[in-house]
Amino acid sequence: MKSKLTSHLEGLKPALQTALDNGEEWHRFEHRLGRHFDLLYHSLQDLYGDRDDFSTCLESILLAAASAYRARPVILKSRDEGREQDASWYLGKEAVGGVCYVDLFADNLTGLEKRLPYFKELGINYLHLMPLFQAPEGRNDGGYAVSDYRRVNPALGNMKQLTELISLFRENGISIVLDFIYNHTSDEHEWAQRAKRGEREYQEFYYIYPNREIPDRYEENLREVFPEEKPGSFSYCEQLGQWVWTTFKSYQWDLNYGNPAVFKAMAEEMLYLANCGVDILRLDAVAFAWKEMGTACESLDKVHVLVTAFNQLAQIAAPSLLFKSEAIVHPDEVTRYINPRECQLSYNPLLMALLWEALATRDVKLLQHSMAKRFRIHADTSWINYIRSHDDVGWTFCDDDAAEVGINGHDHRQFLNRFYTGEFPGSFARGVPFQYSPETGDCRVCGSTASLAGLEKALNDEGEVEQALALSRILLLHSVLLSIGGIPLIYLGDEIATQNDYSYQDDRHKHNDSRWVHRHRFSSDDLESRNTTGTPANTLFARFKALIDLRKSTAALSGQDTDFIPSRNGQIFAYLRRHADKRLLALCNFSESSHSLALDIATGHFGDKPLTDLVNGETLHPGTQINFEPYQFRWLQPD
Ligand code: OTU
């Protein structure tokens, strides 16, 4: 006898078959449906199963997937098949990412196309374009308040240009990553506008309350994400005369995924993006999309169910698409999104925070300990390792990990904030505080990599030695991203030593959001400075490029099989990389003093063979010491 689920699926098939004209297309769709239906069904049932109209909802969601599949360009369909054969295209040493804002990096899409040689010169093959869809002028949170997911911001170009650019970059070996901003829309999105005009159907797309009673009850357990912007998580909408859930800025209205119509509508937007040729979607603010009274409404179990449902739909209708989770939360929670059913890729905020932490303390124990505990993830998934993004730096390490190495998490965060805002005596950093909350004492830090790493200070009031140290810090951090395992992601501009840009303070839409300090608008001259001998950009760009090339030619750096090795020297971060029969030992000096280590740290892994440092070509012989210059890193392999 057929199971209930199988007969349910059989019942749905005729309508889908008709939608796909019962041809070749249908057979492929049916095959994938067969593989993913169970999980999709269970996920949707978990979210919406108690509704009387559940079957209708399910059918309409699947019909949306079928029509998206039908509209999927042939070239993408063949990419789907290729990737189903080789699911590991993103796990290799060739993967190197970059991220930028289209307008800040190149004015518009036409300009970005002209930057293709730059991206190729640097050696990236994954490019995340920050939000580029239509968003209200000024009130858009750097593009993260979208008013139309199917229209490119006219100042940047149009949809046709975008899809052409995506395929041009693809032909040149660069995959495009876009955001799927699924937690909220702009209050000027058509759905929000219709809600404001009183349409019930669209009011149900959001969380709207006539008075403070329910918002107050929710707020008992909610964290304020942008306390400097507005108190709490709700905003009063004059036009409605009601309160709207706005986790982030007051004009970013949270979508109500308790309503299956929202799921369906956003699934359509997701598949539309997929059909533009995007390879990876970054799930923005992934943790916030499901709310339940009496909870913190962050990383609830049902958020995972929701992401699983989206992912299964993608696997059915656009199977080459990958999800990248943007969960800048407690490390225990970060890893819960990373699995082949939810997000195949995830930012690694813990590594980001702890690399900065080790640089400030000149001590790698928390970094080493936390990575040893937490780096390993499912073999078919990958970390996206980064040191800076367009957002702030938050100290999201685990307090228990810290306690295990004798550090008080709370005090340590206070120290790190003081260090990176330059308040701590002797600090090299020039960051600015972000979202200080007098209530909790919490604070995060903004600033460009170069300014946080000491270049701004060195160029303004110190000499060449300090400048060289600052560049070495930037390179050291990136050397870890390029070798630790997973996909390194460069916040473009870092490779040319971009400093803080304080001009945001004069812009009324930006002055109260210090993240703009590290969102510089690049001129052609900025990028050209890489070719002017003697500039920091020149020195750094050449070394970035060389290191990227080295990564791509080093077999041991594929995948993310990594062992973290206590090095008996608190300043030296050590890890062993493994891929197939290849091994590589990376050793990184996180201090401005010179050190030596006995070579036996390596002989344990490589025996008595002489070792080559791939970074500078030096040969190290057994029985000798390994010496380290300030901030030097070595990638060692037997000859
Ligand atoms: C994201 O970040 C984006 O990266 C930000 O640029 C947006 O402002 C925000 O969402 C809203 O769209 O609060 O400080 O994981 O750290 O999701 C950045 C939790 C943010 C948050 C993260 C969010």
Side-chain angles (χ1 to χ4, degrees):
M1 210 186 92
K2 282 187 184 167
S3 76
K4 202 169 143 232
L5 211 56
T6 315
S7 45
H8 208 119
L9 177 58
E10 294 307 322
L12 285 162
K13 277 185 180 174
L16 297 169
Q17 195 165 358
T18 311
L20 283 167
D21 278 351
N22 189 25
E24 178 65 14
E25 306 248 290
W26 161 246
H27 292 297
R28 245 173 276 147
F29 188 86
E30 185 186 24
H31 178 68
R32 290 177 182 134
L33 191 60
R35 261 195 289 179
H36 298 285
F37 182 75
D38 283 14
L39 192 51
L40 177 67
Y41 180 90
H42 287 301
S43 307
L44 292 174
Q45 192 187 41
D46 203 358
L47 300 174
Y48 309 118
D50 55 2
R51 298 175 58 104
D52 295 338
D53 62 352
F54 175 64
S55 296
T56 324
C57 292
L58 179 71
E59 184 177 85
S60 74
I61 289 166
L62 281 170
L63 278 169
S67 69
Y69 185 66
R70 191 173 167 162
R72 190 158 172 82
V74 178
I75 185 163
L76 297 180
K77 285 180 176 157
S78 71
R79 190 188 302 170
D80 291 338
E81 287 188 14
R83 294 219 173 130
E84 278 173 327
Q85 307 302 317
D86 172 22
S88 64
W89 61 275
Y90 52 92
L91 301 175
K93 61 189 180 359
E94 294 76 18
V96 177
V99 46
C100 67
Y101 276 104
V102 176
D103 55 342
L104 299 185
F105 206 71
D107 295 335
N108 51 38
L109 290 174
T110 313
L112 195 81
E113 204 176 300
K114 298 205 184 99
R115 295 263 189 264
L116 181 58
Y118 182 87
F119 300 128
K120 289 176 80 170
E121 184 185 343
L122 183 60
I124 60 168
N125 51 16
Y126 151 134
L127 180 63
H128 172 200
L129 300 178
M130 301 285 294
L132 43 72
F133 290 100
Q134 178 146 315
E137 182 71 34
R139 301 166 76 247
N140 64 36
D141 188 23
Y144 283 95
V146 176
S147 51
D148 189 339
Y149 294 92
R150 299 189 186 213
R151 190 148 183 242
V152 169
N153 177 346
L156 303 181
N158 56 41
M159 260 343 271
K160 185 164 171 282
Q161 282 175 301
L162 177 64
T163 44
E164 283 169 5
L165 181 130
I166 293 173
S167 64
L168 174 74
F169 275 51
R170 262 298 296 182
E171 285 159 24
N172 283 276
I174 300 177
S175 291
I176 295 294
V177 184
L178 291 183
D179 282 270
F180 181 41
I181 302 160
Y182 87 133
N183 177 70
H184 47 266
T185 70
S186 154
D187 65 348
E188 291 185 28
H189 189 285
E190 192 197 332
W191 303 334
Q193 299 211 22
R194 294 177 77 163
K196 285 188 215 168
R197 288 199 295 264
E199 289 185 44
R200 263 308 274 271
E201 188 186 343
Y202 289 98
Q203 293 184 346
E204 286 170 7
F205 268 45
Y206 301 95
Y207 294 93
I208 299 176
Y209 304 99
N211 54 45
R212 288 287 318 179
E213 190 194 323
I214 295 176
D216 283 343
R217 277 172 55 208
Y218 272 115
E219 274 184 356
E220 283 169 26
N221 303 291
L222 301 181
R223 162 170 87 98
E224 289 180 302
V225 183
F226 290 155
E228 282 178 353
E229 207 261 341
K230 60 162 177 28
S233 300
F234 296 82
S235 303
Y236 186 71
C237 170
E238 294 285 346
Q239 200 177 332
L240 275 171
Q242 301 198 61
W243 291 87
V244 184
W245 199 313
T246 57
T247 299
F248 297 96
K249 306 230 174 189
S250 52
Y251 50 79
Q252 287 165 305
W253 286 19
D254 286 46
L255 285 163
N256 173 11
Y257 281 97
N259 175 359
V262 170
F263 178 86
K264 182 186 165 224
M266 286 306 286
E268 286 174 331
E269 302 309 63
M270 170 186 83
L271 294 173
Y272 176 80
L273 284 176
N275 284 353
C276 296
V278 176
D279 279 311
I280 299 170
L281 285 182
R282 170 190 181 276
L283 268 63
D284 180 61
V286 67
F288 297 88
W290 193 270
K291 337 277 195 203
E292 279 165 30
M293 181 65 84
T295 74
C297 299
E298 254 186 84
S299 291
L300 298 182
D301 288 347
K302 289 223 171 130
V303 164
H304 294 278
V305 179
L306 183 63
V307 175
T308 304
F310 276 122
N311 190 308
Q312 297 316 300
L313 266 190
Q315 310 257 351
I316 292 168
S320 59
L321 184 73
L322 299 178
F323 282 7
K324 170 171 68 159
S325 142
E326 192 256 344
I328 315 303
V329 291
H330 189 283
D332 287 344
E333 296 298 336
V334 172
T335 39
R336 288 183 62 211
Y337 296 92
I338 314 173
N339 59 72
R341 300 168 153 202
E342 283 178 67
C343 297
Q344 297 90 343
L345 306 172
S346 165
Y347 284 94
N348 192 348
L350 183 61
L351 178 67
M352 184 276 293
L354 293 180
L355 287 173
W356 288 114
E357 187 269 343
L359 211 55
T361 56
R362 284 80 163 171
D363 187 331
V364 303
K365 65 173 181 278
L366 183 54
L367 172 64
Q368 199 277 331
H369 179 66
S370 305
M371 288 303 126
K373 263 177 96 166
R374 300 175 182 277
F375 189 77
R376 197 163 293 274
I377 49 177
H378 190 290
D380 295 332
T381 65
S382 179
W383 286 117
I384 303 288
N385 297 313
Y386 68 111
I387 191 68
R388 283 305 288 113
S389 75
H390 68 293
D391 281 333
D392 47 289
V393 177
W395 309 111
T396 58
F397 57 82
C398 167
D399 281 12
D400 294 338
D401 299 357
E404 283 153 17
V405 294
I407 291 173
N408 175 303
H410 172 266
D411 297 354
H412 203 49
R413 286 189 187 90
Q414 305 284 328
F415 157 72
L416 291 166
N417 282 326
R418 294 185 59 222
F419 187 92
Y420 280 106
T421 52
E423 266 180 54
F424 189 80
S427 164
F428 49 72
R430 286 284 178 272
V432 285
F434 179 66
Q435 302 297 336
Y436 170 68
S437 156
E439 229 166 87
T440 60
D442 284 348
C443 184
R444 284 115 79 185
V445 173
C446 291
S448 76
T449 296
S451 292
L452 294 177
L455 189 66
E456 185 176 330
K457 179 163 186 270
L459 287 169
N460 288 329
D461 36 70
E462 289 167 340
E464 277 177 21
V465 177
E466 289 298 324
Q467 291 172 28
L469 285 177
L471 295 183
S472 300
R473 288 186 197 106
I474 299 172
L475 203 69
L476 171 77
L477 296 173
H478 285 86
S479 83
V480 178
L481 307 185
L482 285 160
S483 63
I484 197 167
I487 304 179
L489 178 60
I490 299 167
Y491 185 56
L492 290 167
D494 282 0
E495 74 287 4
I496 49 169
T498 307
Q499 296 177 56
N500 283 351
D501 179 341
Y502 298 97
S503 62
Y504 76 99
Q505 290 166 345
D506 305 323
D507 182 325
R508 74 191 165 92
H509 291 300
K510 296 178 178 163
H511 69 94
N512 63 357
D513 188 335
S514 58
R515 290 176 297 174
W516 287 97
V517 81
H518 53 253
R519 298 175 182 174
H520 176 70
R521 181 178 285 278
F522 293 91
S523 66
S524 307
D525 286 352
D526 288 329
L527 300 188
E528 271 313 309
S529 64
R530 76 186 185 284
N531 297 319
T532 310
T533 320
T535 58
N538 180 256
T539 314
L540 207 57
F541 190 88
R543 300 199 62 189
F544 261 67
K545 203 171 133 44
L547 214 53
I548 290 171
D549 286 347
L550 185 57
R551 165 188 163 91
K552 290 186 179 173
S553 60
T554 306
L557 296 180
S558 274
Q560 52 195 354
D561 185 351
T562 310
D563 281 339
F564 294 90
I565 303 167
S567 77
R568 278 173 281 146
N569 175 322
Q571 280 84 44
I572 310 265
F573 183 40
Y575 46 92
L576 182 76
R577 292 302 326 282
R578 247 192 302 248
H579 181 69
D581 60 342
K582 300 287 188 238
R583 303 276 179 282
L584 180 146
L585 179 67
L587 299 171
C588 318
N589 178 8
F590 268 80
S591 79
E592 60 269 78
S593 26
S594 304
H595 292 274
S596 334
L597 271 186
L599 196 61
D600 66 359
I601 185 168
T603 47
H605 306 285
F606 301 122
D608 267 345
K609 299 194 197 111
L611 299 177
T612 302
D613 180 344
L614 303 182
V615 179
N616 64 5
E618 204 180 319
T619 306
L620 305 175
H621 294 284
T624 57
Q625 294 277 107
I626 317 180
N627 298 319
F628 292 89
E629 298 290 313
Y631 299 117
Q632 186 178 358
F633 55 92
R634 293 177 176 279
W635 293 357
L636 302 179
Q637 267 192 333
D639 276 342

